[in-house]
Amino acid sequence: MARRKIVAGNWKMNMTPSQAVALCAELKDLVKSDSVDVVYCVPAIDIVPVVEAVKGTNVKVGAENMYFEEKGAYTGEISAAMLKDAGVEFVIIGHSERRDYFKEDDALLNKKVAKAFEAGLTPILCCGETLEQREMGVTMDWIRLQIKSDLAGITADQVKSMVIAYEPIWAIGTGKTATTEQAEEVCKGIRECIAEMYDAATADAVRIQYGGSVNAGNAAELFAQPDIDGGLVGGASLKADFGKIVNY
C-alpha cells in the first residue's frame, strides 16, 4: 500500500493569535485535499485559536515543541498532555533550530519522542546535516546517529505511525534547496537505517518528509520521489502558495 503524503507547515515564531485565525481562513479552501494529510504546526499561543479555526476542515494541528516531563516546576515549558488536551495531534521534535539555538541533544529528544507517543501524539522527528558535514562527506553517518539515538527504545509499531523529516540545515530559510537527487538519496538512506534498526515492513510504513525551502515550484518534483512522502514547509506555509504545495 502506498504511503499517504503528508504536508506540514512549520510556522516557527510567526503569527499572533489573530493573525493565525486570519491565515487559517485564507488557506481554508486552498488546502483542501482528499489524498494528502495537512498539518499546521503553530506557536504554542496560537494552538487553541487555530484548533477552533480549522474545525470542520481537513487540517490537523501540530505543536512546534514540547517537554518530556508530565508536569511540575518547569517554567515556560508545555507538556504533551497539555497539547493533547488542547486538540493537538502532531508535534515537531528536534528541529535544527531547537538543536542549535537551544542546545537540545539526542538524549533529550529521545525522551521527548517517547513522551509524545505515551500521550498519543504523532512525532515529526527532524534530522539533518550542516553544510560543513555535507562537504566532509559524513551526511549519512551524522543522520544515522541522530535517528538511532532519537529512536532508542521506540518500538517498531510506534515508528510505523510517526513522521521523520529530513531537513538539511544549510537549506533552511536560506533559499537553497537540496537537489531532488540529494533529497531522495538521504530519505532513502533514512529508510534503510530504519530497516536495519527494525525491519522492512517498518521502513516501508514510516513517512519521511523533505524540508528545506520547499515551495510551489519544487514540491511536485520532490514529492514524486519514491522515498519522499511530503514536506515540512517553513516560510511558504504562511502564504497562499501553501495550497499549491498541498495540491502539487
Side-chain angles (χ1 to χ4, degrees), residues 45-68:
I45 198 168
D46 294 342
I47 287 171
V48 171
V50 168
V51 166
E52 187 64 30
V54 301
K55 279 184 178 175
T57 75
N58 59 304
V59 176
K60 303 178 188 303
V61 179
E64 297 179 15
N65 186 34
M66 50 157 268
Y67 197 51
F68 65 85

Side-chain angles (χ1 to χ4, degrees), residues 135-204:
E135 290 175 343
M136 288 168 59
V138 299
T139 292
M140 280 316 306
D141 294 326
W142 178 254
I143 288 173
R144 285 168 62 88
L145 177 62
Q146 289 182 318
I147 296 294
K148 289 184 176 185
S149 301
D150 298 343
L151 296 183
I154 304 302
T155 69
D157 283 343
Q158 288 173 325
V159 173
K160 287 176 184 177
S161 70
M162 72 181 295
V163 180
I164 298 173
Y166 166 52
E167 293 206 319
I169 295 170
W170 47 272
I172 297 173
T174 62
K176 296 180 181 178
T177 310
T179 65
T180 302
E181 293 74 23
Q182 287 172 325
E184 166 61 17
E185 179 184 28
V186 176
C187 289
K188 181 181 179 182
I190 292 170
R191 205 173 299 283
E192 290 170 348
C193 180
I194 296 295
E196 291 171 18
M197 293 174 65
Y198 299 94
D199 51 43
T202 304
D204 287 341

Side-chain angles (χ1 to χ4, degrees), residues 18-138:
S18 59
Q19 290 171 334
V21 171
L23 180 61
C24 289
E26 178 187 355
L27 294 178
K28 181 179 177 180
D29 293 332
L30 302 177
V31 299
K32 284 182 179 176
S33 174
D34 294 327
S35 57
V36 176
D37 287 338
V38 181
V39 185
Y40 297 163
C41 295
V42 306
I45 198 168
D46 294 342
I47 287 171
V48 171
V50 168
V51 166
E52 187 64 30
V54 301
K55 279 184 178 175
T57 75
N58 59 304
V59 176
K60 303 178 188 303
V61 179
E64 297 179 15
N65 186 34
M66 50 157 268
Y67 197 51
F68 65 85
E69 293 287 2
E70 191 71 24
K71 58 184 177 181
Y74 305 101
T75 300
E77 294 293 341
I78 296 176
S79 73
M82 291 173 181
L83 296 178
K84 184 71 174 177
D85 191 62
V88 168
E89 296 183 50
F90 291 81
V91 58
I92 297 174
I93 294 175
H95 191 280
S96 65
E97 290 158 5
R98 298 297 314 176
R99 294 177 187 260
D100 185 15
Y101 304 156
F102 303 101
K103 309 308 175 189
E104 295 190 358
D105 61 22
D106 289 308
L108 171 68
L109 299 175
N110 177 238
K111 292 178 182 179
K112 289 189 176 189
V113 172
K115 181 56 74 171
F117 277 122
E118 183 183 317
L121 298 171
T122 299
I124 300 175
L125 176 64
C126 298
C127 59
E129 83 283 16
T130 63
L131 183 59
E132 290 77 12
Q133 288 166 332
R134 173 162 283 276
E135 290 175 343
M136 288 168 59
V138 299

